[in-house]
Amino acid sequence: MNTRSYFRLFTGIAPLLLVLACARNPVTGKREINLMSTEQEVAIGKESHPSVIATMGLYEDKRLQAFMNEKGKAMAKVSHRPDLPYQFYIVDSPIVNAFAVPGGYVYFTRGILAHFNNEAEFAGVLGHEIGHITAKHAARSQKSQLLSSIALIGGAVLAPEVVGQNIEALQQGLGLLSLKYSRDHESESDNLGVEYSSKIGYDAREMGDFFGTLKRLSDQSGQAVPQFMSTHPDPGNRFTRVHQLAKDYQAKNPASYEVNRDQYLRLIDGIMYGEDPRQGFVENGYFYHPELRFQFPVPSRWQSQNSPSQFQMAAKDGKSAMILTLAKGTSLDEAAQNLVKELSLNVLENGKTTINGNPAYVLISRQQPEQGQPQQDPRTALQIGTWLIQYNNAIYALHGLATNADFQANFNTFKQVAENFRSLNDPDKLNRKAERIVVRSTPRDGSFREVVTLLGMPANRVEEVGILNGLKADDRVPRGTLLKIINR
Ligand SMILES: [Zn+2]
């Protein structure tokens, strides 16, 4: 069953469930109307998992994965729902984010793993995410939000119920999966993060410190607000609140709580940092894909988002967007037929052409409303210009999207991008390598600024490396301290 039919299933049977399912919440102990059974939660997790992986890709690191599994399992055991089939994954995204999907699926990005400074911070965030699952926050949030998020990341961006609403949603969807929880849910998850991480032996005050890192990341200009906290309460407040919760917990349950800084740093030594240029990158108004060896322009002032399954870009006014994906089919004709069928397209114009020596097929079409769906306002209905380009044993589909009203005004932009799709031959772009985190021991006492400069970091990256290390430029660092350095 794909996510789209899921969507319908849920909206269809919800009223019935409303009557039938009223159960006790495992965390609060209160009886509440639950729209999802455990089986349904697990089904949602199973259903959305392939989309999460298709969108972000898995980051392979056996040692880190083993560590995450071990801590995740230990935490599941002490949680309010020890019997869920928990699964833990590291996704290949540089963005600092962690998220959970109902049914026990927990995801950490390599970006957040690079930013933790000890095992206790890791455990606190793990507890927070497991808390969203055990307290059934997704089930208690608006179903439509959850399901549309899943549909959005499902690569189903051309699904009428998503794009049909507006392109603005698509533009916002350029971010990662973010299940929007209420402030109350976030606070509840913070409580659970403190409780669960303490129960497996970690000092939960460190979890509070990680909100300091998030705050600095969001304050840094030019840096996108980490999704992890974009809808969350102010990280400054959470810093204070979590510290207090941790102190209270430890006062009630005296024990020795671990931080394990050096162990954690050794674990992430060598982790990829920032974008992986091998999977494509934007530079000077172009998108380059070294692995697939092609390039095309990105219209000026457009925002873009790359993922293993597609590259999306959208105008800031939200009125037009473009998506590059792989087309299905072995010939241009077959690819065009598949596309028309899958997206229920009403073709207005089509024809063959050649783009920089590559055979291509152009389609201008409108999306037909799905059966049983009301006819859309023709002005807001979606028009799509598609260029299918055969290149290096693959067929790429480059879609330009706008409403009927805005399509003509944007057509030349779409055309300009598509007609400048060409092979990438520049060795500088082809051989671009990702940066990595390298853990080094400081050669002498000094301020953070002094010692990272000694270790080879340029002055304009001291703040960035400071955020990574949870340290300020003027903080004193004794000789022999392990620090994260960025290296190519
Ligand atoms: Zn949260």
Side-chain angles (χ1 to χ4, degrees):
M1 206 189 303
N2 65 27
T3 43
R4 277 209 261 166
S5 50
Y6 224 93
F7 186 87
R8 277 187 230 111
L9 177 72
F10 265 93
T11 47
I13 59 175
L16 184 70
L17 285 170
L18 199 69
V19 182
L20 297 177
C22 180
R24 216 171 272 283
N25 183 281
V27 170
T28 63
K30 287 185 192 146
R31 290 191 78 81
E32 61 182 32
I33 295 161
N34 240 317
L35 293 176
M36 257 186 249
S37 67
T38 299
E39 290 71 27
Q40 284 171 316
E41 285 181 80
V42 173
I44 286 205
K46 254 196 195 139
E47 198 70 40
S48 61
H49 177 68
S51 309
V52 173
I53 300 309
T55 309
M56 294 185 228
L58 275 180
Y59 182 72
E60 293 196 23
D61 184 319
K62 286 206 177 89
R63 276 201 317 158
L64 257 176
Q65 185 63 58
F67 175 76
M68 190 169 171
N69 290 347
E70 181 199 324
K71 297 303 166 190
K73 277 189 187 135
M75 203 174 269
K77 230 180 253 173
V78 301
S79 80
H80 294 84
R81 300 175 77 187
D83 298 327
L84 281 176
Y86 290 93
Q87 296 188 52
F88 305 93
Y89 296 96
I90 302 169
V91 289
D92 192 3
S93 164
I95 293 173
V96 177
N97 200 9
F99 54 93
V101 175
Y105 288 74
V106 179
Y107 303 89
F108 276 30
T109 61
R110 63 173 166 81
I112 203 167
L113 291 172
H115 279 81
F116 292 134
N117 274 294
N118 54 56
E119 292 185 2
E121 288 185 347
F122 168 93
V125 174
L126 184 66
H128 175 99
E129 294 305 329
I130 288 180
H132 280 309
I133 293 171
T134 57
K136 292 186 163 236
H137 288 159
R140 289 152 75 194
S141 301
Q142 284 183 356
K143 250 69 43 211
S144 59
Q145 261 181 1
L146 167 67
L147 291 164
S148 64
S149 298
I150 289 172
L152 206 59
I153 57 143
V157 282
L158 290 169
E161 66 266 27
V162 179
V163 173
Q165 289 158 5
N166 51 34
I167 290 177
E168 214 170 296
L170 190 147
Q171 197 186 18
Q172 285 163 6
L174 292 180
L176 295 174
L177 170 78
S178 65
L179 301 182
K180 295 200 165 94
Y181 299 117
S182 69
R183 273 168 185 249
D184 288 351
H185 287 171
E186 289 309 332
S187 293
E188 193 170 62
S189 264
D190 284 346
N191 299 351
L192 293 169
V194 169
E195 182 185 333
Y196 296 164
S197 64
S198 302
K199 278 188 173 163
I200 67 163
Y202 286 108
D203 186 343
R205 287 174 303 180
E206 297 293 325
M207 175 187 170
D209 288 348
F210 190 66
F211 290 114
T213 298
L214 291 177
K215 176 112 179 65
R216 283 175 77 187
L217 274 173
S218 72
D219 289 348
Q220 202 186 32
S221 61
Q223 185 107 12
V225 176
Q227 297 267 333
F228 177 69
M229 46 157 287
S230 60
T231 56
H232 288 53
D234 178 79
N237 297 338
R238 292 173 84 190
F239 177 93
T240 313
R241 185 170 173 273
V242 168
H243 268 269
Q244 193 54 50
L245 285 170
K247 266 171 55 190
D248 294 348
Y249 188 97
Q250 293 178 8
K252 264 185 235 149
N253 307 276
S256 75
Y257 293 98
E258 303 288 340
V259 173
N260 293 355
R261 181 177 187 275
D262 287 5
Q263 289 93 321
Y264 184 78
L265 294 183
R266 298 222 185 272
L267 196 63
I268 59 161
D269 191 0
I271 195 171
M272 192 177 281
Y273 174 73
E275 299 284 348
D276 178 4
R278 305 295 310 154
Q279 300 179 20
F281 61 97
V282 173
E283 193 173 272
N284 299 328
Y286 272 85
F287 177 68
Y288 298 104
H289 204 302
E291 213 113 89
L292 302 174
R293 303 179 77 100
F294 63 75
Q295 65 179 65
F296 55 81
V298 173
S300 64
R301 291 188 301 277
W302 277 34
Q303 294 171 314
S304 64
Q305 168 80 39
N306 188 26
S307 78
S309 62
Q310 61 189 27
F311 175 78
Q312 312 176 349
M313 50 186 182
K316 281 212 170 121
D317 63 8
K319 288 185 173 165
S320 55
M322 289 190 84
I323 300 169
L324 174 92
T325 60
L326 268 177
K328 282 180 209 150
T330 52
S331 69
L332 284 173
D333 288 315
E334 194 187 328
Q337 280 161 19
N338 286 339
L339 198 71
V340 168
K341 210 161 84 190
E342 270 181 28
L343 303 176
S344 325
L345 297 178
N346 187 358
V347 180
L348 307 174
E349 273 177 57
N350 61 327
K352 293 203 164 155
T353 182
T354 306
I355 293 176
N356 298 310
N358 306 304
Y361 195 112
V362 189
L363 282 163
I364 311 290
S365 50
R366 281 199 189 127
Q367 209 160 22
Q368 293 171 328
E370 280 195 280
Q371 269 191 341
Q373 297 287 315
Q375 199 74 33
Q376 264 187 306
D377 176 349
R379 281 185 63 77
T380 57
L382 204 66
Q383 196 160 328
I384 306 168
T386 303
W387 284 261
L388 293 165
I389 306 168
Q390 194 156 21
Y391 173 70
N392 268 0
N393 302 321
I395 297 174
Y396 295 95
L398 199 47
H399 304 283
L401 308 118
T403 59
N404 281 330
D406 292 321
F407 190 79
Q408 272 317 315
N410 288 287
F411 182 73
N412 275 337
T413 305
F414 299 155
K415 192 163 177 264
Q416 169 82 10
V417 170
E419 291 185 347
N420 282 292
F421 179 103
R422 61 179 78 239
S423 65
L424 170 62
N425 303 307
D426 178 358
D428 169 57
K429 312 288 187 308
L430 288 172
N431 301 324
R432 199 65 68 86
K433 283 205 174 74
E435 291 189 318
R436 294 191 178 265
I437 298 223
V438 177
V439 176
R440 301 275 301 274
S441 172
T442 54
R444 65 162 174 88
D445 294 344
S447 70
F448 178 74
R449 184 199 310 276
E450 284 163 0
V451 295
V452 292
T453 305
L454 268 179
L455 293 170
M457 292 313 300
N460 64 358
R461 297 192 80 176
V462 169
E463 173 61 11
E464 182 188 0
V465 187
I467 293 174
L468 263 176
N469 283 284
L471 291 168
K472 301 261 167 68
D474 295 327
D475 284 349
R476 300 307 294 176
V477 179
R479 174 164 178 256
T481 306
L482 294 185
L483 289 181
K484 298 178 215 168
I485 301 297
I486 303 165
N487 221 332
R488 207 181 276 280

